[in-house]
Amino acid sequence: MIEPSAGSAGTASRATGAAPDAARLIAVGGGKGGVGKTFVTVNLAATIAREGFDVVVVDGDLEGANTHTCFGVPPPPLSLADFVANREEELTKLMVETGIPNLRLIAATHANLAAAQPGHFQRVRLLSRLRQLPVDLVLIDLGAGTHPAVMDYFLVGDDGIVVFCPEPTSMENAYSFLRAAFYRRMRLSMLTHSVRALVTQAMDQRNERGIRTPADLLREIEKLDPSEGGRFAETLRRFRPRLLINDVRTADEIKLGFSVRSVCRSYFGLEAEYLGYVNHDAGVRESVVARRPLVDVHPNCDAAVYLRRIARKVIQSLGPAVVEEA
Ligand SMILES: Nc1ncnc2c1ncn2[C@@H]1O[C@H](COP(=O)(O)OP(=O)(O)O)[C@@H](O)[C@H]1O
Ligand SMILES: [Mg+2]
């Protein structure tokens, strides 16, 4: 468990290298736009920073960058887009203050819409550089969809958070997101070309080999290469996506988190964690309009209380960093 830094003095001690441990990296995704990924990221970050941890929020949504707005930060002159376009190498130069102690932002404004998205190796380079930032926690606010660009940020970090709403469309997208995360995670952790090719085949739900479930896939891998089979099972054991339901209005909707967790277990053999829920609250929109986190605008509303409860769980999970190869 890492200790919170003592305000700005803590920031300075980390920045001078007194604490050499790598930053923890947690991505917030969910497949669908508008489910509250940015809202959750901004409020968890503000809560965790107020607990004394040094936090950096990264706007990972190059095509729909808006995290800066939720902090009332004007589009900064330098952003992640400059790193991606190789115009700026030094990530610390991209960090801007948010006005909240211990909390800084790497925005994603001024993306060149004509530029190609960063490739896999460029993304892995970015993630390893984020790990080296002199902070305790990096929270990445992801864009919508299940494109490899989104999934890499989700997978290379620590156990990512999947945000969804209790609506069929959002649930459907959350399952697609979990499915894409599962297969990409498994493919990246396989070492041999033939087994990777098998996982790629399995990603097509109508594949000709008849692989319909992760259990079918594991059987096929074990036939081909037992040591890869063992690695597959071990990766599965360590992969624990965290589920967060946002915008709930009824007690039944809260239970959906348990249903999704059961589906993860029975279908993928995945032990997802139900991190918690946040209720629908008219104050959320108000806070976005005020360009400040809800936990600051209405610290005593139910949604702020639930967000703080979730933030405490995230803080508890900030054990020593384990850096995994992609
Ligand atoms: N718990 C909530 N209660 C009420 N409105 C919410 C809640 N969560 C999100 N919203 C509304 O949904 C909008 C979209 O949220 P946002 O975080 O931008 O989604 P995403 O980043 O997933 O696209 C917010 O601006 C806010 O108005
Ligand atoms: Mg967003």
Side-chain angles (χ1 to χ4, degrees), residues 204-246:
D204 175 2
Q205 277 170 317
R206 299 196 189 137
N207 64 80
E208 288 172 3
R209 283 180 95 115
I211 303 173
R212 297 287 174 263
T213 66
D216 294 343
L217 175 59
L218 177 58
R219 261 193 306 277
E220 292 287 322
I221 293 175
E222 275 170 341
K223 266 192 258 167
L224 200 63
D225 185 336
S227 68
E228 287 276 67
R231 196 169 296 115
F232 186 96
E234 176 59 16
T235 307
L236 190 57
R237 196 182 62 74
R238 285 196 286 145
F239 183 33
R240 290 178 68 98
R242 295 187 268 191
L243 312 171
L244 190 158
I245 312 189
N246 180 38

Side-chain angles (χ1 to χ4, degrees), residues 32-40 61 66 70 141-142 163 246-248 278-285 288 303:
K32 191 171 182 300
V35 293
K37 296 181 295 297
T38 300
F39 159 66
V40 164
D61 190 356
N66 59 17
C70 299
D141 178 18
L142 294 181
V163 178
N246 180 38
D247 212 22
V248 303
V278 180
N279 60 302
H280 176 80
D281 195 312
V284 176
R285 188 165 182 192
V288 176

Side-chain angles (χ1 to χ4, degrees), residues 32 51 54 59-61 66 71 75 91 102 120 125 184-185 187 195 230 261 272 298 306 312 316:
K32 191 171 182 300
E51 289 293 314
D54 277 332
D59 189 345
D61 190 356
N66 59 17
F71 288 117
L91 283 182
N102 303 330
H120 174 68
R125 177 177 141 261
R184 191 162 175 80
R185 174 73 176 237
R187 197 160 69 87
V195 173
R261 197 180 64 175
H298 292 297
Y306 296 136
R312 271 199 300 279
Q316 276 165 11

Side-chain angles (χ1 to χ4, degrees), residues 43-116:
N43 282 280
L44 289 183
T47 306
I48 295 169
R50 291 218 187 274
E51 289 293 314
F53 293 88
D54 277 332
V55 182
V56 171
V57 169
V58 176
D59 189 345
D61 190 356
L62 279 169
E63 285 163 353
N66 59 17
T67 319
H68 59 285
T69 305
C70 299
F71 288 117
V73 170
L78 283 178
S79 86
L80 195 60
D82 295 288
F83 180 88
V84 167
N86 294 318
R87 285 192 291 259
E88 179 54 64
E89 278 292 300
E90 189 54 59
L91 283 182
T92 50
K93 289 196 186 150
L94 309 180
M95 298 198 309
V96 293
E97 297 295 333
T98 60
I100 297 170
N102 303 330
L103 179 53
R104 282 162 293 170
L105 169 74
I106 295 181
T109 51
H110 307 304
N112 177 357
L113 294 178

Side-chain angles (χ1 to χ4, degrees), residues 84-204:
V84 167
N86 294 318
R87 285 192 291 259
E88 179 54 64
E89 278 292 300
E90 189 54 59
L91 283 182
T92 50
K93 289 196 186 150
L94 309 180
M95 298 198 309
V96 293
E97 297 295 333
T98 60
I100 297 170
N102 303 330
L103 179 53
R104 282 162 293 170
L105 169 74
I106 295 181
T109 51
H110 307 304
N112 177 357
L113 294 178
Q117 286 291 323
H120 174 68
F121 289 105
Q122 206 185 354
R123 293 194 291 271
V124 172
R125 177 177 141 261
L126 167 62
L127 288 157
S128 79
R129 297 281 288 278
L130 286 172
R131 282 230 188 256
Q132 292 161 13
L133 286 176
V135 299
D136 297 313
L137 175 65
V138 177
L139 273 175
I140 309 175
D141 178 18
L142 294 181
T146 57
H147 188 272
V150 175
M151 301 322 294
D152 273 352
Y153 296 128
F154 187 78
L155 294 174
V156 179
D158 302 298
D159 298 332
I161 299 174
V162 183
V163 178
F164 56 97
C165 291
E167 288 173 6
T169 44
S170 171
M171 303 282 292
E172 190 174 353
N173 287 173
Y175 282 125
S176 318
F177 187 88
L178 284 161
R179 185 172 183 275
F182 171 84
Y183 281 106
R184 191 162 175 80
R185 174 73 176 237
M186 291 309 171
R187 197 160 69 87
L188 288 172
S189 56
M190 295 296 103
L191 298 182
T192 62
H193 177 73
S194 53
V195 173
R196 280 190 173 204
L198 194 61
V199 181
T200 308
Q201 253 185 306
M203 290 165 93
D204 175 2

